[in-house]
PDB file of all heavy atoms in Angstrom:
ATOM      1  N   TYR A  13      -6.371  29.542  -3.607  1.00  0.00           N
ATOM      2  CA  TYR A  13      -6.491  30.724  -2.740  1.00  0.00           C
ATOM      3  C   TYR A  13      -7.172  31.769  -3.598  1.00  0.00           C
ATOM      4  O   TYR A  13      -6.512  32.384  -4.450  1.00  0.00           O
ATOM      5  CB  TYR A  13      -5.126  31.211  -2.288  1.00  0.00           C
ATOM      6  CG  TYR A  13      -4.423  30.269  -1.328  1.00  0.00           C
ATOM      7  CD1 TYR A  13      -3.333  29.509  -1.732  1.00  0.00           C
ATOM      8  CD2 TYR A  13      -4.840  30.190  -0.010  1.00  0.00           C
ATOM      9  CE1 TYR A  13      -2.688  28.682  -0.848  1.00  0.00           C
ATOM     10  CE2 TYR A  13      -4.204  29.336   0.888  1.00  0.00           C
ATOM     11  CZ  TYR A  13      -3.134  28.589   0.457  1.00  0.00           C
ATOM     12  OH  TYR A  13      -2.464  27.758   1.339  1.00  0.00           O
ATOM     13  N   LEU A  16      -6.300  32.013  -7.358  1.00  0.00           N
ATOM     14  CA  LEU A  16      -5.031  31.356  -7.607  1.00  0.00           C
ATOM     15  C   LEU A  16      -5.109  29.839  -7.371  1.00  0.00           C
ATOM     16  O   LEU A  16      -5.531  29.410  -6.320  1.00  0.00           O
ATOM     17  CB  LEU A  16      -3.952  31.968  -6.692  1.00  0.00           C
ATOM     18  CG  LEU A  16      -2.588  31.318  -6.746  1.00  0.00           C
ATOM     19  CD1 LEU A  16      -1.824  31.808  -7.969  1.00  0.00           C
ATOM     20  CD2 LEU A  16      -1.808  31.585  -5.487  1.00  0.00           C
ATOM     21  N   ALA A  18      -3.005  27.308  -6.385  1.00  0.00           N
ATOM     22  CA  ALA A  18      -1.688  27.047  -5.816  1.00  0.00           C
ATOM     23  C   ALA A  18      -1.244  25.627  -6.097  1.00  0.00           C
ATOM     24  O   ALA A  18      -0.087  25.374  -6.402  1.00  0.00           O
ATOM     25  CB  ALA A  18      -1.695  27.319  -4.300  1.00  0.00           C
ATOM     26  N   VAL A  19      -2.175  24.683  -5.978  1.00  0.00           N
ATOM     27  CA  VAL A  19      -1.924  23.296  -6.372  1.00  0.00           C
ATOM     28  C   VAL A  19      -3.111  22.907  -7.244  1.00  0.00           C
ATOM     29  O   VAL A  19      -4.253  23.089  -6.858  1.00  0.00           O
ATOM     30  CB  VAL A  19      -1.830  22.361  -5.134  1.00  0.00           C
ATOM     31  CG1 VAL A  19      -1.703  20.927  -5.569  1.00  0.00           C
ATOM     32  CG2 VAL A  19      -0.631  22.780  -4.271  1.00  0.00           C
ATOM     33  N   GLY A  36      10.755  22.376  -7.924  1.00  0.00           N
ATOM     34  CA  GLY A  36      10.056  23.421  -8.662  1.00  0.00           C
ATOM     35  C   GLY A  36      10.489  24.801  -8.196  1.00  0.00           C
ATOM     36  O   GLY A  36      11.064  24.940  -7.136  1.00  0.00           O
ATOM     37  N   PRO A  37      10.194  25.814  -8.984  1.00  0.00           N
ATOM     38  CA  PRO A  37      10.607  27.175  -8.652  1.00  0.00           C
ATOM     39  C   PRO A  37       9.725  27.771  -7.569  1.00  0.00           C
ATOM     40  O   PRO A  37       8.761  27.149  -7.120  1.00  0.00           O
ATOM     41  CB  PRO A  37      10.427  27.930  -9.965  1.00  0.00           C
ATOM     42  CG  PRO A  37       9.277  27.238 -10.612  1.00  0.00           C
ATOM     43  CD  PRO A  37       9.381  25.799 -10.220  1.00  0.00           C
ATOM     44  N   ASN A  38      10.022  28.975  -7.157  1.00  0.00           N
ATOM     45  CA  ASN A  38       9.204  29.675  -6.144  1.00  0.00           C
ATOM     46  C   ASN A  38       7.742  29.734  -6.574  1.00  0.00           C
ATOM     47  O   ASN A  38       7.454  30.022  -7.728  1.00  0.00           O
ATOM     48  CB  ASN A  38       9.695  31.124  -5.937  1.00  0.00           C
ATOM     49  CG  ASN A  38      11.080  31.174  -5.323  1.00  0.00           C
ATOM     50  OD1 ASN A  38      11.906  31.962  -5.728  1.00  0.00           O
ATOM     51  ND2 ASN A  38      11.339  30.327  -4.348  1.00  0.00           N
ATOM     52  N   GLY A  39       6.887  29.452  -5.645  1.00  0.00           N
ATOM     53  CA  GLY A  39       5.447  29.545  -5.917  1.00  0.00           C
ATOM     54  C   GLY A  39       4.864  28.389  -6.705  1.00  0.00           C
ATOM     55  O   GLY A  39       3.708  28.432  -7.115  1.00  0.00           O
ATOM     56  N   ALA A  40       5.645  27.309  -6.875  1.00  0.00           N
ATOM     57  CA  ALA A  40       5.156  26.176  -7.667  1.00  0.00           C
ATOM     58  C   ALA A  40       4.047  25.416  -6.955  1.00  0.00           C
ATOM     59  O   ALA A  40       3.270  24.697  -7.563  1.00  0.00           O
ATOM     60  CB  ALA A  40       6.316  25.240  -8.010  1.00  0.00           C
ATOM     61  N   GLY A  41       3.983  25.549  -5.627  1.00  0.00           N
ATOM     62  CA  GLY A  41       2.973  24.816  -4.867  1.00  0.00           C
ATOM     63  C   GLY A  41       3.554  23.681  -4.034  1.00  0.00           C
ATOM     64  O   GLY A  41       2.798  22.855  -3.490  1.00  0.00           O
ATOM     65  N   LYS A  42       4.853  23.651  -3.869  1.00  0.00           N
ATOM     66  CA  LYS A  42       5.486  22.560  -3.120  1.00  0.00           C
ATOM     67  C   LYS A  42       5.097  22.593  -1.636  1.00  0.00           C
ATOM     68  O   LYS A  42       4.664  21.580  -1.092  1.00  0.00           O
ATOM     69  CB  LYS A  42       7.023  22.680  -3.230  1.00  0.00           C
ATOM     70  CG  LYS A  42       7.544  22.776  -4.651  1.00  0.00           C
ATOM     71  CD  LYS A  42       9.051  22.844  -4.692  1.00  0.00           C
ATOM     72  CE  LYS A  42       9.655  24.124  -4.104  1.00  0.00           C
ATOM     73  NZ  LYS A  42       9.371  25.356  -4.849  1.00  0.00           N
ATOM     74  N   SER A  43       5.275  23.768  -1.014  1.00  0.00           N
ATOM     75  CA  SER A  43       4.964  23.832   0.423  1.00  0.00           C
ATOM     76  C   SER A  43       3.483  23.597   0.683  1.00  0.00           C
ATOM     77  O   SER A  43       3.123  22.961   1.677  1.00  0.00           O
ATOM     78  CB  SER A  43       5.352  25.211   0.972  1.00  0.00           C
ATOM     79  OG  SER A  43       6.725  25.427   0.826  1.00  0.00           O
ATOM     80  N   THR A  44       2.648  24.113  -0.203  1.00  0.00           N
ATOM     81  CA  THR A  44       1.217  23.909  -0.030  1.00  0.00           C
ATOM     82  C   THR A  44       0.887  22.420  -0.062  1.00  0.00           C
ATOM     83  O   THR A  44       0.111  21.930   0.747  1.00  0.00           O
ATOM     84  CB  THR A  44       0.444  24.663  -1.143  1.00  0.00           C
ATOM     85  OG1 THR A  44       0.858  26.039  -1.124  1.00  0.00           O
ATOM     86  CG2 THR A  44      -1.055  24.574  -0.951  1.00  0.00           C
ATOM     87  N   THR A  45       1.515  21.706  -0.987  1.00  0.00           N
ATOM     88  CA  THR A  45       1.317  20.253  -1.063  1.00  0.00           C
ATOM     89  C   THR A  45       1.766  19.581   0.225  1.00  0.00           C
ATOM     90  O   THR A  45       1.052  18.746   0.807  1.00  0.00           O
ATOM     91  CB  THR A  45       2.102  19.671  -2.258  1.00  0.00           C
ATOM     92  OG1 THR A  45       1.707  20.354  -3.444  1.00  0.00           O
ATOM     93  CG2 THR A  45       1.849  18.178  -2.390  1.00  0.00           C
ATOM     94  N   ARG A  47       1.966  20.875   3.222  1.00  0.00           N
ATOM     95  CA  ARG A  47       1.075  21.193   4.344  1.00  0.00           C
ATOM     96  C   ARG A  47      -0.232  20.413   4.222  1.00  0.00           C
ATOM     97  O   ARG A  47      -0.804  20.033   5.242  1.00  0.00           O
ATOM     98  CB  ARG A  47       0.784  22.694   4.372  1.00  0.00           C
ATOM     99  CG  ARG A  47       1.958  23.534   4.848  1.00  0.00           C
ATOM    100  CD  ARG A  47       1.516  24.926   5.287  1.00  0.00           C
ATOM    101  NE  ARG A  47       0.740  25.580   4.240  1.00  0.00           N
ATOM    102  CZ  ARG A  47       1.255  26.344   3.280  1.00  0.00           C
ATOM    103  NH1 ARG A  47       2.552  26.556   3.229  1.00  0.00           N
ATOM    104  NH2 ARG A  47       0.462  26.890   2.380  1.00  0.00           N
ATOM    105  N   GLN A  83       9.195  24.917   6.006  1.00  0.00           N
ATOM    106  CA  GLN A  83      10.149  25.751   5.274  1.00  0.00           C
ATOM    107  C   GLN A  83      10.704  26.841   6.174  1.00  0.00           C
ATOM    108  O   GLN A  83      11.880  27.164   6.151  1.00  0.00           O
ATOM    109  CB  GLN A  83       9.442  26.368   4.067  1.00  0.00           C
ATOM    110  CG  GLN A  83      10.372  27.195   3.200  1.00  0.00           C
ATOM    111  CD  GLN A  83       9.750  27.531   1.861  1.00  0.00           C
ATOM    112  OE1 GLN A  83       8.628  27.179   1.586  1.00  0.00           O
ATOM    113  NE2 GLN A  83      10.504  28.228   1.025  1.00  0.00           N
ATOM    114  N   ASP A 159      10.694  20.313   4.050  1.00  0.00           N
ATOM    115  CA  ASP A 159      10.448  21.419   3.121  1.00  0.00           C
ATOM    116  C   ASP A 159      11.691  22.298   3.045  1.00  0.00           C
ATOM    117  O   ASP A 159      11.951  23.084   3.956  1.00  0.00           O
ATOM    118  CB  ASP A 159       9.217  22.239   3.572  1.00  0.00           C
ATOM    119  CG  ASP A 159       8.661  23.093   2.455  1.00  0.00           C
ATOM    120  OD1 ASP A 159       9.334  23.216   1.406  1.00  0.00           O
ATOM    121  OD2 ASP A 159       7.550  23.624   2.637  1.00  0.00           O
ATOM    122  N   GLU A 160      12.448  22.125   2.003  1.00  0.00           N
ATOM    123  CA  GLU A 160      13.720  22.843   1.802  1.00  0.00           C
ATOM    124  C   GLU A 160      14.620  22.690   3.022  1.00  0.00           C
ATOM    125  O   GLU A 160      15.005  23.675   3.653  1.00  0.00           O
ATOM    126  CB  GLU A 160      13.456  24.321   1.534  1.00  0.00           C
ATOM    127  CG  GLU A 160      12.274  24.492   0.612  1.00  0.00           C
ATOM    128  CD  GLU A 160      12.544  25.439  -0.525  1.00  0.00           C
ATOM    129  OE1 GLU A 160      13.526  26.185  -0.451  1.00  0.00           O
ATOM    130  OE2 GLU A 160      11.780  25.389  -1.492  1.00  0.00           O
ATOM    131  N   HIS A 192      14.744  23.507  -4.247  1.00  0.00           N
ATOM    132  CA  HIS A 192      15.045  23.977  -5.564  1.00  0.00           C
ATOM    133  C   HIS A 192      16.545  23.860  -5.874  1.00  0.00           C
ATOM    134  O   HIS A 192      17.035  24.462  -6.769  1.00  0.00           O
ATOM    135  CB  HIS A 192      14.498  25.346  -5.957  1.00  0.00           C
ATOM    136  CG  HIS A 192      14.387  26.332  -4.888  1.00  0.00           C
ATOM    137  ND1 HIS A 192      13.210  27.018  -4.670  1.00  0.00           N
ATOM    138  CD2 HIS A 192      15.245  26.785  -4.003  1.00  0.00           C
ATOM    139  CE1 HIS A 192      13.392  27.834  -3.668  1.00  0.00           C
ATOM    140  NE2 HIS A 192      14.590  27.728  -3.241  1.00  0.00           N
TER     141      HIS A 192
ATOM    142  N   ARG B 280      -5.966  26.077   7.161  1.00  0.00           N
ATOM    143  CA  ARG B 280      -6.811  26.788   6.190  1.00  0.00           C
ATOM    144  C   ARG B 280      -6.286  26.571   4.772  1.00  0.00           C
ATOM    145  O   ARG B 280      -5.276  25.954   4.584  1.00  0.00           O
ATOM    146  CB  ARG B 280      -6.885  28.279   6.501  1.00  0.00           C
ATOM    147  CG  ARG B 280      -5.542  28.994   6.421  1.00  0.00           C
ATOM    148  CD  ARG B 280      -5.784  30.500   6.547  1.00  0.00           C
ATOM    149  NE  ARG B 280      -4.584  31.236   6.801  1.00  0.00           N
ATOM    150  CZ  ARG B 280      -4.581  32.515   7.191  1.00  0.00           C
ATOM    151  NH1 ARG B 280      -5.721  33.123   7.399  1.00  0.00           N
ATOM    152  NH2 ARG B 280      -3.469  33.161   7.362  1.00  0.00           N
TER     153      ARG B 280
HETATM  154  N1  LIG C   1      -1.926  31.299   2.883  1.00  0.00           N
HETATM  155  C1  LIG C   1      -1.868  31.681   1.592  1.00  0.00           C
HETATM  156  N2  LIG C   1      -2.709  32.620   1.134  1.00  0.00           N
HETATM  157  C2  LIG C   1      -2.696  33.010  -0.156  1.00  0.00           C
HETATM  158  N3  LIG C   1      -1.863  32.506  -1.077  1.00  0.00           N
HETATM  159  C3  LIG C   1      -0.984  31.564  -0.687  1.00  0.00           C
HETATM  160  C4  LIG C   1      -0.939  31.113   0.670  1.00  0.00           C
HETATM  161  N4  LIG C   1       0.042  30.162   0.774  1.00  0.00           N
HETATM  162  C5  LIG C   1       0.575  30.051  -0.457  1.00  0.00           C
HETATM  163  N5  LIG C   1      -0.020  30.882  -1.335  1.00  0.00           N
HETATM  164  C6  LIG C   1       0.302  31.017  -2.773  1.00  0.00           C
HETATM  165  O1  LIG C   1       0.266  29.737  -3.355  1.00  0.00           O
HETATM  166  C7  LIG C   1       1.308  29.576  -4.297  1.00  0.00           C
HETATM  167  C8  LIG C   1       2.141  28.379  -3.953  1.00  0.00           C
HETATM  168  O2  LIG C   1       2.860  28.638  -2.775  1.00  0.00           O
HETATM  169  P1  LIG C   1       3.849  27.601  -2.104  1.00  0.00           P
HETATM  170  O3  LIG C   1       4.334  28.188  -0.852  1.00  0.00           O
HETATM  171  O4  LIG C   1       3.196  26.283  -2.036  1.00  0.00           O
HETATM  172  O5  LIG C   1       5.028  27.528  -3.182  1.00  0.00           O
HETATM  173  P2  LIG C   1       6.436  26.814  -3.081  1.00  0.00           P
HETATM  174  O6  LIG C   1       6.551  25.917  -4.252  1.00  0.00           O
HETATM  175  O7  LIG C   1       6.633  26.207  -1.761  1.00  0.00           O
HETATM  176  O8  LIG C   1       7.422  28.059  -3.273  1.00  0.00           O
HETATM  177  P3  LIG C   1       8.847  28.360  -2.597  1.00  0.00           P
HETATM  178  O9  LIG C   1       9.863  27.641  -3.415  1.00  0.00           O
HETATM  179  O10 LIG C   1       8.966  29.838  -2.753  1.00  0.00           O
HETATM  180  O11 LIG C   1       8.794  27.917  -1.191  1.00  0.00           O
HETATM  181  C9  LIG C   1       2.070  30.889  -4.309  1.00  0.00           C
HETATM  182  O12 LIG C   1       1.629  31.651  -5.379  1.00  0.00           O
HETATM  183  C10 LIG C   1       1.695  31.525  -3.002  1.00  0.00           C
HETATM  184  O13 LIG C   1       1.686  32.926  -3.104  1.00  0.00           O
END
Side-chain angles (χ1 to χ4, degrees):
Chain A
Y13 290 107
L16 176 80
V19 175
N38 293 138
K42 307 181 294 293
S43 298
T44 306
T45 305
R47 287 198 307 271
Q83 183 167 2
D159 198 349
E160 319 228 344
H192 33 230
Chain B
R280 63 172 166 193

